[in-house]
């Protein structure tokens, strides 16, 4: 089949340790055009967040190699079937019950296997959830904002574009306090890059 050979795709779950690592992984996935089905933040004692992605075998090996060099994630689960996926969900629920934390099934409902991008409405739902996740991270800690501003995993253009899209979405919902926070993040990004240019 030559260059047109199709590579097997996997559903993969990736855990991150902290905000900085989460951003590094997010940047890598974005630069390599990996489909992110969902992104969730739980920020407990063991991990910070989780990505659920679809990736082919070649890119999966590349991701594993990059992780050894750059520390993109702390744990990986490759799903080969529905039973494994359900097993992962149940394990997360069991761990939560043992530690008496809030049931993670409520927090990770976005990456349950019922969600599929089929049309414009599905894309809008996915973007809305992604915006809410990003906003939650910004509100959660100033250190995450600093990591986002200073990370080299995303370009200046990517950061500003993402923030502008979020602001536009929240303006439509008349969520002006959230917009104000995002404008402040934009200002910090501009300040950071102007300072960086002045030192070069």
């Amino acid at each position: 089949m030559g260059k047109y050979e199709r590579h097997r795709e996997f559903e993969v779950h990736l855990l991150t340790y902290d905000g900085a690592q989460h951003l590094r992984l997010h940047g890598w996935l974005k630069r390599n055009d990996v489909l992110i089905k969902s992104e969730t933040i739980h920020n407990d004692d063991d991990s910070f967040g989780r990505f659920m992605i679809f990736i082919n075998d070649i890119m999966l090996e590349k991701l594993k190699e990059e992780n050894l060099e750059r520390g993109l994630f702390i744990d990986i689960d490759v799903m080969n079937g529905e039973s494994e996926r359900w097993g992962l969900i149940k394990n997360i629920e069991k761990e939560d019950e043992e530690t008496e934390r809030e049931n993670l099934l409520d927090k990770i409902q976005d990456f349950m296997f019922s969600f599929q991008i089929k049309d414009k409405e599905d894309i809008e739902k996915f973007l809305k959830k992604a915006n809410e996740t990003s906003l939650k991270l910004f509100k959660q800690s100033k250190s995450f904002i600093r990591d986002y501003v200073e990370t080299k995993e995303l370009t200046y253009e990517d950061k500003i574009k993402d923030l502008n899209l979020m602001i536009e979405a929240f303006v439509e919902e008349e969520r002006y306090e959230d917009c104000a926070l995002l404008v402040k993040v934009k200002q910090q990004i501009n300040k950071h890059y102007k300072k960086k240019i002045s030192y070069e």
Side-chain angles (χ1 to χ4, degrees):
M1 296 177 68
K3 67 179 180 179
Y4 298 105
E5 181 180 357
R6 292 192 63 184
H7 298 284
R8 184 180 178 191
E9 286 207 338
F10 299 92
E11 177 184 314
V12 177
H13 297 248
L14 301 163
L15 280 180
T16 55
Y17 175 72
D18 59 15
Q21 185 178 63
H22 199 84
L23 282 172
R24 284 200 302 275
L25 179 56
H26 183 268
W28 191 93
L29 296 172
K30 189 167 186 177
R31 281 197 313 277
N32 289 278
D33 295 321
V34 176
L35 175 62
I36 300 174
K37 188 173 181 183
S38 71
E39 176 185 6
T40 56
I41 305 299
H42 33 85
N43 200 17
D44 56 31
D45 294 336
D46 300 319
S47 61
F48 178 84
R50 179 186 298 268
F51 285 95
M52 186 176 96
I53 63 173
F54 287 108
I55 189 170
N56 66 41
D57 51 353
I58 292 177
M59 288 303 295
L60 179 57
E61 289 307 310
K62 183 178 178 182
L63 174 59
K64 290 177 179 178
E65 290 173 6
E66 288 277 322
N67 186 54
L68 292 175
E69 296 179 8
R70 302 171 57 199
L72 298 175
F73 56 86
I74 57 169
D75 195 17
I76 181 170
D77 284 295
V78 180
M79 302 293 105
N80 290 315
E82 201 76 9
S83 60
E84 288 191 18
R85 184 187 293 112
W86 181 242
L88 176 66
I89 301 297
K90 295 301 290 181
N91 284 340
I92 292 172
E93 182 183 30
K94 183 178 179 182
E95 290 171 6
D96 241 24
E97 289 172 352
E98 290 173 353
T99 55
E100 297 182 356
R101 290 194 294 263
E102 181 180 349
N103 190 337
L104 272 181
L105 283 178
D106 292 333
K107 292 187 176 183
I108 63 174
Q109 59 185 336
D110 292 346
F111 80 71
M112 293 292 278
F113 28 90
S114 60
F115 178 76
Q116 294 180 355
I117 296 176
K118 295 179 180 176
D119 52 34
K120 184 179 178 182
E121 185 177 343
D122 283 334
I123 294 172
E124 289 175 352
K125 287 179 182 178
F126 175 79
L127 291 175
K128 182 177 177 63
K129 291 172 184 175
N131 287 342
E132 293 294 344
T133 299
S134 297
L135 181 66
K136 181 180 178 181
L137 285 169
F138 289 138
K139 287 182 173 181
Q140 206 166 51
S141 69
K142 292 181 179 179
S143 64
F144 183 83
I145 293 177
R146 184 176 63 252
D147 288 337
Y148 184 83
V149 169
E150 297 178 0
T151 184
K152 296 177 182 177
E153 303 303 320
L154 296 168
T155 66
Y156 168 82
E157 290 77 15
D158 283 338
K159 294 173 187 177
I160 296 301
K161 181 180 178 181
D162 287 347
L163 288 168
N164 283 340
L165 290 172
M166 290 173 63
I167 290 170
E168 183 180 337
F170 290 137
V171 164
E172 289 182 6
E173 298 176 17
E174 299 184 357
R175 293 169 57 177
Y176 301 116
E177 288 185 10
D178 292 335
C179 291
L181 172 62
L182 297 174
V183 168
K184 287 181 181 178
V185 176
K186 275 182 63 177
Q187 291 171 342
Q188 290 184 42
I189 290 171
N190 286 322
K191 185 178 179 180
H192 172 72
Y193 280 90
K194 284 180 181 177
K195 186 185 295 184
K196 188 176 178 182
I197 290 172
S198 67
Y199 283 120
E200 293 177 352

